[in-house]
Amino acid sequence: MTKFRTSKCTRISFIDSTILDVCHNRRIHSHKAFKGIAERGKSSTGWFYGFKLHLVINDKGEILSFYLIPRNVDDRDPKVIESLAKELFGKLFGDKGYLLKKISDILYSKGIQLIKKIKKNMKNKLMLI
């Protein structure tokens, strides 16, 4: 796991993740460069062999932090989110991938308001004006 912080928080941040393919699925067994580090996993687009990159940027587009994890680590692991948001404050905008209540509670205890789209069957929480 790798994590870095590069810029300053501006009270408005965005978080998202993407896959980083190391090689095509047909070549996994013959691939040697990341053997023992990269893992096989599944995303919304299908199976892949590689890593998952979590990225947090501010409203200016500057990278605040990123976290590179092997695919066998859960995306919604609270340790990953907590590490990404270590020095953040204000509002953090994310997609449905960060929908767990545990993640919201961790961020709220640090003074970060996670703003995400909710599902139809979820209760809406009031936002501060």
Side-chain angles (χ1 to χ4, degrees), residues 47-112:
W47 288 94
F48 71 95
Y49 181 74
F51 303 96
K52 188 83 174 206
L53 174 69
H54 290 270
L55 188 68
V56 179
I57 62 170
N58 62 15
D59 59 341
K60 298 176 185 176
E62 300 168 334
I63 296 174
L64 296 177
S65 63
F66 64 90
Y67 210 80
L68 185 65
I69 58 173
R71 188 53 209 130
N72 61 351
V73 177
D74 187 13
D75 297 343
R76 299 161 297 179
D77 184 3
K79 293 177 187 175
V80 174
I81 304 302
E82 192 170 358
S83 179
L84 279 168
K86 199 171 203 168
E87 297 175 17
L88 294 180
F89 54 90
K91 299 188 184 328
L92 179 65
F93 293 85
D95 58 8
K96 288 184 181 180
Y98 304 97
L99 205 59
L100 287 178
K101 183 175 180 348
K102 187 185 284 187
I103 292 172
S104 295
D105 292 342
I106 289 170
L107 293 173
Y108 188 76
S109 69
K110 294 181 171 286
I112 302 168

